[in-house]
């Protein structure tokens, strides 16, 4: 095909077309009278190179020649309205300087001396917000830019930015996320004056469902979640109003939002969702219903569980009779016919029934505490000596404890905090105790202080090899006793000849969560380590980060 001859047109459009079609099919326009000296100087021997050079020149020309558009009445009104007052106290000067440093960081501090400073920004924001401060006005744009790129920062960043942040968001499309971010009102900030807020910005008020009907999917989920937290009945009514027209993947995430404020008032809707055409929607509806002990589904599961597990006449065994089939009613209640992991059918059905049964059934029907029930031997109903169902029963109870957030059962399944053997130095046990289901998930059900005590004891006995997920379940910053246990375990790891990178996951958490009070102990470990060794650098970096956090928190009065 012969090349297409270019026609005189806008230079940028001509270059754009040539780039799309290729210089072989659409040659460059020849130099024309009135072209700049720079354009005339472009060497056109290589058309591809010339195309790039001409595009660069045209870009500069277009930018330099752009004229500002006249402001419309709406824009003029926005610019004329000043930002509302923020009555919170301004950050102390040292804390404001620290914020500038954290917002300006693009990576680590001084090589080998500090962690990645961007990882410390969430802790700074949460602390400053809790203290009720407002940032300097000049820092708010950078704060909103940081939150734009990191969604996990948004609740604290938006609350900290306060009314000035909302005022700016109404005038910059890049910060529109501020207007749809769910957050409690910052301390000391006046409540919005009406549905649109004091600055005229379209605040996402609970009674304003514009976002629900016209917003992006993420905006709709955020709006529904906020509404469920403030008015669960209104949130359910809003979801019901559009449920038949929603896509299956959207219905699934909207159901997840019902976890906030979940009650028996949601049961009729969730029961209807058990007949949804989407398998995942049906499963999620069943799981939500199973967390409501008084629901009809919970009663149905309890009847199946009674048939599957009973106390022996002598009271020494739990006898298991797993389901022999998964009938239509069981499938409607969220039990899949086949295990997704290839597990045996009867074991799979049995586990699903027990996991969805209210845990209160077992003490009520046997008169035994969770601890006593877990201490009983488990046998087959046809053979008491067959203990093959013990792990299945325990694992299902663990799932139920996590799903129902039952601290008594979680505590019993975890067992007492590990204790070192007499004369042991700790950190030598090969593996964590088995049979506890998912320890980190069970641990997360317990109160924060209890989690820290249990994890500290675990680390003292088992070291850090299997502690990563347990530490992740503990509230940060860690308590001083837990922090001390972690530092002691790191010291043992260094003395044993292990390499720091074998504990990289835990070390990454220590920079954010270890109590700054352990900085002196870490500095001592750095001094004791071989000067050119990996542990000396690791401990020095950790100590520097702890000192940084110590100063950071002190500046905020924390």
């Amino acid at each position: 095909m012969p090349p297409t001859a270019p026609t005189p047109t806008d230079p940028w459009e001509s270059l754009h077309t040539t780039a799309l079609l290729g210089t072989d099919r659409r040659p460059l326009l020849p130099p024309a009278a009135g072209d700049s000296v720079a354009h005339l100087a472009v060497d056109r021997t290589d058309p591809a190179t010339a195309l790039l050079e001409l595009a660069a020149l045209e870009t500069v020309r277009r930018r330099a020649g752009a004229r500002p558009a006249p402001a419309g009445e709406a824009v003029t009104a926005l610019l004329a309205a000043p930002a509302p007052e923020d009555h919170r106290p301004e950050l102390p000067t040292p804390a404001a300087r620290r914020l500038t440093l954290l917002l300006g960081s693009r990576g680590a501090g001084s090589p080998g001396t500090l962690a990645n400073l961007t990882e410390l920004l969430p802790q700074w924001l949460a602390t400053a917000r809790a203290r009720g401060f407002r940032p300097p006005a000049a820092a708010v744009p950078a704060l909103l830019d940081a939150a734009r790129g990191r969604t996990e920062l948004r609740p604290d960043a938006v609350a900290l930015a306060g009314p000035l942040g909302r005022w700016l968001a109404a005038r910059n499309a890049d910060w529109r996320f501020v207007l749809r971010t769910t957050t409690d009102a910052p301390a000391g900030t006046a409540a919005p004056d009406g549905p649109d807020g004091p600055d005229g910005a379209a605040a996402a008020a609970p009674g304003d469902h514009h976002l629900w009907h016209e917003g992006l999917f993420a905006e709709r989920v955020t709006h529904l979640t906020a509404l469920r937290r403030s008015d669960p009945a209104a949130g359910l009514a809003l979801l019901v109003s559009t449920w038949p027209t929603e896509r299956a993947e959207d219905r699934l995430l909207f159901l997840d939002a019902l976890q906030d404020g979940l009650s028996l008032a949601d049961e009729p809707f969730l029961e209807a969702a058990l007949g949804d055409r989407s398998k995942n929607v049906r499963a999620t509806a069943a799981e939500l219903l199973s967390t409501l002990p008084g629901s009809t589904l919970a009663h149905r599961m309890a009847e199946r569980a009674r048939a599957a597990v009973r106390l022996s006449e002598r009271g020494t065994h739990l006898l298991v009779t797993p389901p022999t089939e998964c009938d239509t009613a069981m499938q409607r209640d969220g039990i899949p016919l086949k295990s997704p992991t290839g597990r045996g059918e009867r074991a799979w059905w049995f586990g699903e029934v027990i996991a969805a049964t209210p845990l209160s059934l077992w003490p009520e029907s046997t008169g035994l505490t969770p601890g006593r029930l877990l201490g009983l031997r488990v046998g087959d109903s046809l053979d008491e000596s067959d203990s093959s169902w013990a792990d299945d029963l325990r694992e299902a109870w663990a799932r139920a404890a996590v799903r129902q957030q039952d601290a008594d059962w979680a505590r019993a399944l975890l067992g007492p905090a590990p204790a070192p053997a007499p004369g042991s130095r700790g950190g030598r046990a090969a593996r964590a105790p088995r049979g506890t289901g998912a320890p980190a998930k069970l641990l997360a059900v317990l109160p924060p202080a209890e989690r820290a005590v249990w994890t500290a004891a675990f680390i003292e006995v088992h070291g850090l090899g299997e502690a990563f997920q347990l530490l992740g379940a503990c509230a940060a910053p860690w308590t001083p006793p837990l922090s001390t246990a972690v530092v002691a375990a790191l010291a043992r790891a260094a003395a044993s000849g292990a390499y720091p990178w074998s504990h990289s996951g835990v070390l990454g958490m220590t920079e954010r969560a270890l109590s700054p009070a352990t900085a002196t102990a870490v500095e001592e470990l750095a001094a004791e380590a071989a000067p050119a060794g990996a542990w000396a650098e690791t401990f020095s970096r950790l100590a520097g980060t702890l000192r940084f956090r110590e100063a950071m928190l002190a500046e905020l009065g924390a």
Side-chain angles (χ1 to χ4, degrees):
M1 178 183 294
T4 302
T7 57
T9 183
D10 177 69
W12 180 258
E13 290 299 326
S14 176
L15 291 170
H16 185 258
T17 303
T18 299
L20 291 174
L21 298 178
T23 53
D24 291 338
R25 296 181 57 193
R26 180 67 180 265
L28 295 169
L29 288 171
D35 280 349
S36 68
V37 174
H39 280 75
L40 294 174
V42 171
D43 184 358
R44 300 176 185 246
T45 305
D46 179 0
T49 302
L51 173 65
L52 296 177
E53 292 182 1
L54 289 169
L57 289 169
E58 186 61 23
T59 298
V60 173
R61 186 191 70 81
R62 286 162 62 87
R63 289 178 178 173
R67 295 180 179 179
E73 291 184 6
V75 174
T76 302
L78 277 175
L79 294 176
E85 291 187 19
D86 189 340
H87 301 290
R88 295 173 296 168
E90 187 166 320
L91 278 169
T93 301
R97 286 198 295 264
R98 185 81 57 175
L99 174 60
T100 301
L101 174 63
L102 292 170
L103 291 173
S105 173
R106 293 294 182 267
S110 302
T113 62
L114 284 179
N116 186 336
L117 296 184
T118 60
E119 295 302 315
L120 304 182
L121 183 57
Q123 187 174 141
W124 189 98
L125 292 174
T127 306
R129 178 186 180 185
R131 299 291 296 173
F133 289 122
R134 63 178 169 89
V140 172
L143 179 61
L144 297 182
D145 280 339
R148 179 191 178 202
R150 296 175 60 183
T151 55
E152 79 276 13
L153 300 179
R154 289 184 181 179
D156 286 331
V158 170
L160 196 64
L164 177 58
R166 295 191 294 274
W167 185 86
L168 290 171
R171 292 153 178 80
N172 186 336
D174 289 343
W175 299 330
R176 290 286 179 175
F177 68 86
V178 171
L179 305 179
R180 56 180 184 264
T181 296
T182 303
T183 177
D184 297 329
T189 304
D193 298 330
D196 290 336
D199 54 359
D208 177 10
H209 303 316
H210 170 79
L211 279 178
W212 178 253
H213 295 291
E214 300 183 20
L216 301 174
F217 173 68
E219 296 172 342
R220 300 182 71 209
V221 171
T222 299
H223 181 74
L224 178 61
T225 301
L227 188 57
R228 283 288 293 184
R229 289 174 182 170
S230 61
D231 188 346
L236 176 63
L238 184 64
L239 179 57
V240 169
S241 70
T242 61
W243 182 259
T245 62
E246 304 291 355
R247 300 181 305 168
E249 55 268 33
D250 294 352
R251 293 199 304 275
L252 179 62
L253 291 178
F254 290 148
L255 271 188
D256 278 340
L258 294 187
Q259 295 182 65
D260 287 298
L262 186 67
S263 70
L264 287 175
D266 301 310
E267 183 182 11
F269 172 74
L270 293 173
E271 275 285 340
L274 292 176
D276 195 272
R277 57 185 180 274
S278 166
K279 176 179 66 176
N280 291 333
V281 170
R282 294 195 301 270
T284 300
E287 184 168 341
L288 289 172
L289 284 168
S290 71
T291 66
L292 293 172
S295 68
T296 305
L297 181 140
H299 288 302
R300 294 195 295 267
M301 288 297 186
E303 289 303 314
R304 295 173 183 131
R306 285 192 182 96
V309 181
R310 63 182 175 86
L311 187 65
S312 67
E313 292 183 2
R314 292 176 296 172
T316 59
H317 287 69
L318 289 172
L319 302 180
V320 173
T321 306
T324 57
E325 65 173 339
C326 185
D327 56 30
T328 303
M330 290 172 65
Q331 292 180 52
R332 184 179 183 276
D333 284 347
I335 300 179
L337 188 62
K338 299 289 185 181
S339 165
T341 60
R343 193 174 181 181
E345 288 183 344
R346 296 187 72 192
W348 166 250
W349 301 332
F350 173 72
E352 291 297 288
V353 167
I354 302 303
T357 297
L359 287 165
S360 58
L361 167 71
W362 309 109
E364 291 172 359
S365 62
T366 64
L368 300 176
T369 64
R372 290 284 303 279
L373 285 163
L374 289 165
L376 294 176
R377 287 177 289 177
V378 178
D380 189 276
S381 59
L382 301 177
D383 182 2
E384 288 189 6
S385 63
D386 181 2
S387 61
S388 58
W389 294 104
D391 286 346
D392 293 291
L393 179 59
R394 194 178 185 95
E395 186 269 343
W397 273 342
R399 288 165 55 200
V402 172
R403 186 181 294 181
Q404 298 170 36
Q405 294 291 288
D406 191 308
D408 289 337
W409 273 90
R411 193 175 292 114
L413 286 157
L414 281 169
S424 71
R425 296 179 61 243
R428 300 300 184 186
R431 297 191 61 80
R434 290 188 177 275
T436 56
K441 293 181 179 179
L442 289 169
L443 192 68
V445 177
L446 302 180
E450 192 174 349
R451 281 181 244 162
V453 170
W454 199 95
T455 304
F458 179 95
I459 290 171
E460 184 179 353
V461 175
H462 299 284
L464 297 171
E466 299 187 26
F468 178 75
Q469 290 184 330
L470 298 177
L471 287 168
C474 293
W478 298 330
T479 63
L482 176 56
S483 297
T484 299
V486 171
V487 171
L490 288 172
R492 293 196 299 270
S496 71
Y499 292 104
W501 46 86
S502 63
H503 298 293
S504 58
V506 171
L507 284 167
M509 277 197 286
T510 61
E511 294 177 339
R512 303 184 298 274
L514 203 63
S515 170
T518 59
T520 299
V522 176
E523 288 168 345
E524 292 173 355
L525 291 176
E528 294 169 2
W535 279 107
E537 180 180 345
T538 297
F539 286 137
S540 295
R541 170 188 168 100
L542 179 55
T545 302
L546 292 174
R547 292 299 185 192
F548 184 96
R549 285 177 51 219
E550 183 178 45
M552 178 180 85
L553 296 174
E555 292 162 356
L556 292 169

